[in-house]
Amino acid sequence: MNVASADNYNFAYLDEQTKRMLRRAILKALAVPGYQVPFAPREMPMPYGWGTGGVQVSAACLVPEDRLKVIDQGADDTTNAVSIRKFFQRVAGVATTETTTEATVIQTRHRIPETPLKEDQILVYQVPIPEPLRFLEPRETETRRMHALEEYGLMHVKLYEDIARHGEIATAYAWPVMAEGRYVMTPSPIPKFDNPKLSDCPAIQLFGAGREARIHALPPWTKVVSLDFEDHPFQASKADHACEICGSCESYLDEVITDDQGGRMFVCSDTDFCSTRSNAQQSGAA
Amino acid sequence: MYVAVKGGERAIDNAHAWLAEERRGDTAIAALSIAQIREQLKLSVDRVMAEGSLYDPDLAALAIKQARGDLIEAIFLIRAYRTTLPRFGSSLPVETARMAVIRRISATYRDLPGGQVLGPTFDYTHRLLDFALAAEGLDVVEAPSANPEGLDNVPHVMGFLNRESLIEAPGAGDEVPPDLTRNPLQLPANRALRLQALARGDEGFLLSLAYSTQRGYGNTHAFVGELRIGQVTVEAELPELGFAIEIGEIELSECETVNQFGGSKSEPPQFTRGYGLVFGQSERKALSMSLVDRALRWKELGESHSPAPARDEEFVLSHCDNIQATGFLEHIKLPHYVDFQSELELVRRLRAAAITPSGKEE
Amino acid sequence: MTLQSTIKPLESGGFSNPPQQSARAFRAIMQAMARPGQVEKISGATPPAPLSPAAGTLALVLLDQTTPLWLAPSHDTPELRAWLTFHTGAPFAPAHEALFAIGTWAALNPVDRFAIGTPEYPDRAATLIVELTALAQDGPRLTGPGIRHEAQLSLPEIAAFQANRQLYPLGFDTFFAAGEQIAGLPRSTIVEAR
């Protein structure tokens, strides 16, 4: 079946000049891991804040032969993931998949798939606030200077104040990381459970923030370290349960409220990982 | 079984169908035509064109219809459409001194060459609901006007002050202005870039900022030197021809304010300028823009630093775009259960540790 | 007729389907920059000599009116200027103002004249497109981001790239082109003799 790119839009929606601008930014982002390259975002037919940065980065990378997977919160069937997948089916005519291992490009919001990525894959993150220092210093002019001078004391002070107050670093997601020993960067708001997967990843990781007009990147095998202190080392954590559907004890879990009596259950956030496991179990049992 | 977010695709399709039905409303009532919106809701159309950064009354009217009258949604539709348009070239700067004015007032002079032209303004209407409008099929009487087509070549009021050097000279404006839609916003910005951002900025946001300067948050002491509304011709130079040709006419609202300036170490006291220019008949926006423009100029005029929201370039420029603002604001409706889950787990652990002070983490 | 024949050589050598060909070529270009030392194949452009098809394709994918270009003496021919102008519109600029520079390694030198970005904006650095006669995964040892353990690439020189690495996070980034092959060497790569 040949799915033609619909309407009169250019391949992957964006015009060629826009894609060239994005592609140049992506190359510079790969050359300086963790540094946020400014680009001139376009208004997309979906709202700012709903993945326009990821969509523009994906559009700049997609080839007609790609097989695209889109996840939001780890799931392929959440409404915004469905909407973005349909968009690319329509404007780029690319094949889509929900299976992590079959995908060549994966656009994600807030999760890294549980299934380890491969060399020939590209993971595109939707990023709301690309500046890890933004909530410590709202001014772009200031944070830009801090990155230039490698002045990350403020971040360490914040993390240390957490420890003083709470006994541990009170950050559960968007835990800041150091890319290749030079730039502090945000991994986009993924749960800290996912942080270790950022480092030494065989796939290219691209981060697009549309409204904030920044692209940053991690080439494959980049060393990515979650910020911590010697006496308070970083720990990836998750709910201490097993998935009630597939039984996995290793995957990140969503808590689902099942009734109004306080009943709840835990299931995998990664829907593909979960269904692959439970399908295998069923065929094994049969 | 676990079914929380399944069926996203069908849910979206059904929601869209429902939206279309709601948009149309009661089918016993005649549907609005684009022409009706364009002609009778003109000020909405003008706002959509201004903040959508695209001068096309018919498309703006269509966007308003499609957006069910939600103007920010309509602006969004226009912006998204605008990005897909190829750029053939740039026009020459428009000459507002040659505007065919339908409205032109000055608050700084009682009378002046060209005269005060009230034009179609709400200013002196009594805000009483006109129940006659509720009756259909009522004809309007043609308004008497000395110059229904507008007055041509009305001199700018600011020119009179300029002749006496009482007001700062206008910038030469020779350099090519930066293009916000093609290059990322870089701070600090120059005035051309600021004005560009303000011109497509949200009317309500600029109104509130301008108002705040009147209440002491970065006082600008503004007088309306001149407010003019009318048609200007747009010209473009075609490389093939080697000269400029007229490519169309657009309606603009232009406001120039006269502001006090106490002088600085290097400059004697002088009036200064604030400027606003907006597509269509959008005078509230043009006034607001000129007050905010003036407030943002404190640094270049050598004024002392006094923090106020309207003087904070980074704050104003980063937050004036309503399409960026509404998108990011509304994105919190998207599922965040992964982040929320990680917070839940953290708060539970912190609480458990607080309740048993010796309780070490596992 | 005469007009046709003067225009034709310019028009030829571009992409026949720019959106798809650019997309495919960019994927290879991105892989090259993301995985230093890995040789990728790109094609689609058939530029006038001495530009290689690979370098020509790089130009078509990355250059436009917003990217000042410097042609090193080895490549500064009227035919190539005309071809690049027709297909990309990139303005020609002096070496220190260029975002892209094309030439042989010898002609591009001294490479310390190229933009290396600023501490606030390290992305405002030049990208060099270096024409080589051949490209092989052999030669100096490369380590750094994008490389799992180590890689090798037939670089024309070592010292210049070591000096460039000293500037990190500033510095220029490099593509090498030979025939239909390219390889990338971002400023982040550590180059050592074997």
Side-chain angles (χ1 to χ4, degrees):
Chain A
M1 191 180 66
N2 180 25
V3 190
S5 48
D7 314 320
N8 293 316
Y9 294 111
N10 195 25
F11 172 71
Y13 185 76
L14 298 171
D15 61 280
E16 289 308 294
Q17 184 163 358
T18 299
K19 281 189 273 185
R20 266 194 300 274
M21 176 270 299
L22 284 160
R23 286 166 178 163
R24 290 191 297 261
I26 290 169
L27 293 179
K28 287 301 175 198
L30 286 164
V32 191
Y35 165 70
Q36 303 160 49
V37 181
F39 76 107
R42 304 297 193 238
E43 266 101 2
M44 299 300 284
M46 60 276 287
Y48 281 118
W50 296 55
T52 58
V55 166
Q56 288 178 77
V57 168
S58 292
C61 292
L62 279 177
V63 296
E65 297 75 22
D66 267 324
R67 191 171 286 276
L68 176 72
K69 172 182 166 84
V70 183
I71 49 173
D72 186 342
Q73 314 288 301
D76 297 90
D77 53 6
T78 39
T79 41
N80 203 43
V82 170
S83 165
I84 291 171
R85 191 163 60 234
K86 275 178 93 170
F87 173 73
F88 279 117
Q89 264 174 331
R90 182 170 169 195
V91 300
V94 292
T96 60
T97 181
E98 296 193 1
T99 309
T100 301
T101 50
E102 285 177 4
T104 51
V105 175
I106 303 173
Q107 181 168 326
T108 180
R109 177 168 168 264
H110 296 193
R111 277 307 313 273
I112 300 176
E114 304 288 356
T115 310
L117 298 176
K118 298 176 296 186
E119 288 242 11
D120 54 357
Q121 292 180 314
I122 298 168
L123 185 60
V124 178
Y125 296 76
Q126 303 170 200
V127 182
I129 303 277
E131 178 49 71
L133 306 168
R134 183 61 69 235
F135 296 111
L136 306 174
E137 167 52 62
R139 280 172 200 283
E140 166 69 14
T141 38
E142 270 302 301
T143 51
R144 188 160 282 281
R145 193 187 56 80
M146 290 157 76
H147 283 294
L149 299 174
E150 227 174 327
E151 194 185 287
Y152 295 129
L154 202 58
M155 178 64 90
H156 284 102
V157 168
K158 189 259 167 197
L159 297 178
Y160 201 80
E161 278 175 355
D162 272 6
I163 294 171
R165 191 174 311 149
H166 305 294
E168 66 172 292
I169 295 173
T171 297
Y173 57 89
W175 185 295
V177 297
M178 175 73 86
E180 206 62 32
R182 175 57 182 81
Y183 283 100
V184 167
M185 67 164 245
T186 177
S188 85
I190 55 173
K192 66 176 181 176
F193 172 81
D194 281 340
N195 269 28
K197 299 179 208 162
L198 291 162
S199 192
D200 270 312
C201 175
I204 293 176
Q205 300 177 80
L206 304 174
F207 300 77
R211 194 178 35 77
E212 298 282 336
R214 298 290 183 272
I215 291 172
H216 61 280
L218 295 171
W221 316 114
T222 300
K223 303 283 176 280
V224 179
V225 179
S226 301
L227 297 187
D228 63 358
F229 295 96
E230 247 169 50
D231 49 343
H232 285 273
F234 170 84
Q235 276 182 317
S237 65
K238 68 175 199 69
D240 191 16
H241 293 271
C243 170
E244 291 212 22
I245 297 175
C246 74
S248 170
C249 296
E250 279 81 49
S251 74
Y252 191 76
L253 301 173
D254 289 336
E255 184 173 329
V256 181
I257 296 177
T258 50
D259 55 39
D260 54 7
Q261 310 297 310
R264 55 199 166 111
M265 61 190 265
F266 290 87
V267 296
C268 290
S269 124
D270 185 332
T271 49
D272 168 58
F273 176 80
C274 193
S275 60
T276 306
R277 271 178 60 95
S278 36
N279 288 345
Q281 285 158 9
Q282 275 168 18
S283 59
Chain B
M1 208 53 234
Y2 173 52
V3 289
V5 291
K6 298 283 171 194
E9 193 154 354
R10 224 179 66 211
I12 290 174
D13 288 343
N14 291 345
H16 289 175
W18 196 351
L19 173 67
E21 201 180 304
E22 283 290 310
R23 188 197 59 69
R24 178 59 183 86
D26 185 350
T27 50
I29 310 288
L32 270 175
S33 73
I34 301 305
Q36 284 172 331
I37 296 171
R38 186 191 65 221
E39 297 300 318
Q40 297 173 41
L41 297 177
K42 178 176 183 299
L43 301 189
S44 295
V45 167
D46 285 352
R47 180 173 174 195
V48 170
M49 293 196 301
E51 293 170 36
S53 296
L54 183 71
Y55 196 94
D56 189 322
D58 285 310
L59 285 182
L62 170 62
I64 291 168
K65 178 173 178 172
Q66 189 179 332
R68 307 176 64 197
D70 178 338
L71 295 190
I72 291 186
E73 181 67 23
I75 292 161
F76 182 15
L77 288 168
I78 291 296
R79 289 269 192 96
Y81 176 74
R82 180 190 186 280
T83 7
T84 66
L85 301 176
R87 183 168 297 198
F88 297 119
S90 309
S91 73
L92 297 175
V94 293
E95 208 42 85
T96 54
R98 294 214 301 268
M99 177 187 281
V101 297
I102 57 162
R103 173 162 167 75
R104 186 261 197 154
I105 55 163
S106 170
T108 50
Y109 290 101
R110 177 194 168 115
D111 206 357
L112 64 168
Q116 306 262 13
V117 182
L118 278 186
T121 175
F122 290 122
D123 281 356
Y124 304 101
T125 61
H126 293 144
R127 269 58 168 208
L128 302 170
L129 273 180
D130 182 358
F131 293 101
L133 282 178
E136 288 177 52
L138 219 63
D139 285 330
V140 270
V141 194
E142 197 177 316
S145 168
N147 297 284
E149 296 299 310
L151 280 169
D152 278 329
N153 286 314
V154 180
H156 271 124
V157 174
M158 301 299 255
F160 307 135
L161 279 171
N162 200 23
R163 230 166 279 149
E164 277 188 75
S165 299
L166 290 175
I167 192 158
E168 56 164 334
D174 292 335
E175 68 273 35
V176 177
D179 184 344
L180 192 60
T181 66
R182 293 285 153 145
N183 295 298
L185 176 68
Q186 193 190 323
L187 298 163
N190 63 19
R191 192 176 177 205
L193 188 61
R194 289 198 303 252
L195 287 170
Q196 201 175 114
L198 297 181
R200 67 206 307 254
D202 182 75
E203 179 176 316
F205 180 74
L206 294 189
L207 170 64
S208 296
L209 280 175
Y211 176 48
S212 73
T213 69
Q214 294 183 294
R215 291 193 65 262
Y217 288 84
N219 204 343
T220 58
H221 302 283
F223 301 102
V224 174
E226 181 170 0
L227 173 75
R228 55 168 62 194
I229 300 175
Q231 301 274 337
V232 296
T233 56
V234 180
E235 296 180 322
E237 230 161 47
L238 300 185
E240 293 84 355
L241 295 177
F243 54 88
I245 58 159
E246 195 178 313
I247 55 169
E249 273 201 331
I250 59 172
E251 189 183 35
L252 293 175
S253 299
E254 183 188 53
C255 177
E256 289 187 281
T257 55
V258 182
N259 306 72
Q260 281 177 9
F261 174 56
S264 67
K265 282 179 200 124
S266 55
E267 297 288 330
Q270 201 179 27
F271 291 113
T272 55
R273 295 163 185 264
Y275 188 73
L277 186 72
V278 188
F279 279 161
Q281 192 171 332
S282 310
E283 66 182 67
R284 183 186 300 117
K285 168 80 178 278
L287 284 163
S288 304
M289 180 175 166
S290 53
L291 263 65
V292 175
D293 168 50
R294 175 59 188 79
L296 288 171
R297 297 183 60 212
W298 67 274
K299 217 180 261 178
E300 69 188 72
L301 293 171
E303 292 176 337
S304 58
H305 177 65
S306 67
R311 296 179 115 204
D312 186 331
E313 171 181 284
E314 188 158 347
F315 177 80
V316 173
L317 297 192
S318 305
H319 302 109
C320 66
D321 189 298
N322 53 21
I323 302 309
Q324 292 178 356
T326 199
F328 197 54
L329 178 91
E330 296 194 47
H331 107 281
I332 62 175
K333 294 180 288 187
L334 288 176
H336 281 80
Y337 47 77
V338 162
D339 318 338
F340 185 67
Q341 184 60 42
S342 59
E343 293 261 282
L344 262 180
E345 189 223 335
L346 177 69
V347 172
R348 280 184 186 136
R349 201 170 57 240
L350 291 177
R351 283 180 63 85
I355 289 161
T356 48
S358 59
K360 293 284 273 183
E361 276 180 67
E362 75 267 41
Chain C
M1 216 45 213
T2 46
L3 192 66
Q4 282 277 321
S5 56
T6 52
I7 287 174
K8 205 169 177 230
L10 277 181
E11 280 179 337
S12 67
F15 288 149
S16 54
N17 182 346
Q20 303 207 352
Q21 284 176 292
S22 308
R24 293 193 184 100
F26 175 70
R27 271 292 265 280
I29 293 168
M30 177 168 73
Q31 291 290 353
M33 188 55 91
R35 303 172 194 276
Q38 184 164 309
V39 175
E40 298 278 338
K41 187 172 178 290
I42 59 169
S43 59
T46 47
L51 199 65
S52 65
T57 305
L58 271 166
L60 293 191
V61 174
L62 298 177
L63 302 186
D64 58 31
Q65 300 88 324
T66 66
T67 53
L69 169 68
W70 185 68
L71 286 179
S74 60
H75 284 66
D76 196 356
T77 69
E79 294 77 24
L80 190 49
R81 276 187 173 241
W83 187 83
L84 286 166
T85 301
F86 183 86
H87 288 283
T88 72
F92 294 100
H96 65 278
E97 289 172 16
L99 274 184
F100 287 86
I102 302 177
T104 61
W105 182 246
L108 286 165
N109 265 287
V111 289
D112 60 4
R113 58 178 143 179
F114 295 109
I116 57 168
T118 66
E120 277 79 21
Y121 293 95
D123 55 301
R124 295 179 184 173
T127 303
L128 311 186
I129 298 174
V130 183
E131 295 267 29
L132 301 178
T133 48
L135 204 48
Q137 287 175 302
D138 186 25
R141 176 170 50 206
L142 315 181
T143 51
I147 302 164
R148 188 172 196 179
H149 302 298
E150 61 174 64
Q152 282 180 270
L153 191 64
S154 52
L155 300 180
E157 183 188 333
I158 292 176
F161 296 104
Q162 288 177 333
N164 191 47
R165 181 62 178 77
Q166 289 296 313
L167 304 169
Y168 190 83
L170 307 190
F172 56 80
D173 305 300
T174 310
F175 284 108
F176 299 99
E180 292 196 334
Q181 292 185 319
I182 59 162
L185 194 78
R187 65 191 87 171
S188 59
T189 304
I190 296 160
V191 178
E192 294 160 299
R194 280 186 75 82

